[in-house]
Amino acid sequence: MHPFRKAVEDRDMAAVEALLAEEVVFTSPVAFSPYPGKPITAAILRAVMRVFEDFRYVREIADEGGRDHAFVFEATVAGKRLSGCDFLHFDEEGKIDEFTVMVRPLSAATALAEAMGAQFERIKTEAAAAIESGNAGL
């Protein structure tokens, strides 16, 4: 099992954050612009863990070189079942430098957008605190 998948399934945010490159770019399924940097990405991922219920990975796909991975998942948000995929790219040091999420169906994506919107002030506060402490979210 890939270390990222294990960390997520164990709900070990310290291990997830340790896998993020400082310059990681997170592309959300419900926001137009990507979010650059480890502090905001880590804060978003913590919020996702708070809003997803019954989360589980159902498939893991990797390229031969091991730098690109797709992790297919299922979860529930506000009573809506969703399917999604985390597309990760790993840099030369094995850190995640690109993190893109896609989800379906639209009704579940809308529920996710609403749930994450309710978390966004906390996300910004956590990211700002990490930047101020020089800790990048750890």
Side-chain angles (χ1 to χ4, degrees):
M1 177 182 302
H2 192 276
F4 172 79
R5 179 176 180 173
K6 179 165 180 25
V8 171
E9 289 181 347
D10 289 348
R11 300 185 65 80
D12 183 350
M13 276 308 299
V16 170
E17 292 171 23
L19 290 169
L20 299 175
E22 292 299 324
E23 68 284 352
V24 63
V25 176
F26 181 84
T27 304
S28 165
V30 296
F32 179 75
S33 296
Y35 297 96
K38 186 173 182 174
I40 191 72
T41 299
I44 289 168
L45 295 176
R46 284 191 297 273
V48 167
M49 285 195 172
R50 290 190 296 267
V51 303
F52 275 174
E53 302 166 23
D54 306 320
F55 179 90
R56 69 185 185 103
Y57 283 115
V58 295
R59 187 172 310 124
E60 181 178 330
I61 305 162
D63 73 334
E64 287 183 21
R67 302 228 2 231
D68 289 291
H69 288 262
F71 298 91
V72 180
F73 64 85
E74 295 175 345
T76 304
V77 176
K80 302 282 186 185
R81 261 329 264 161
L82 65 81
S83 298
C85 191
D86 293 334
F87 295 97
L88 308 182
H89 181 269
F90 293 82
D91 66 16
E92 301 81 27
E93 297 173 8
K95 302 284 187 172
I96 301 165
D97 60 1
E98 295 176 23
F99 195 128
T100 300
V101 181
M102 294 188 185
V103 297
R104 66 162 308 280
L106 179 58
S107 61
T110 300
L112 178 59
E114 290 171 3
M116 291 301 290
Q119 295 281 322
F120 208 72
E121 285 305 313
R122 182 173 175 182
I123 291 168
K124 290 190 307 186
T125 300
E126 288 179 10
I131 291 168
E132 286 178 22
S133 72
N135 205 347
L138 294 176

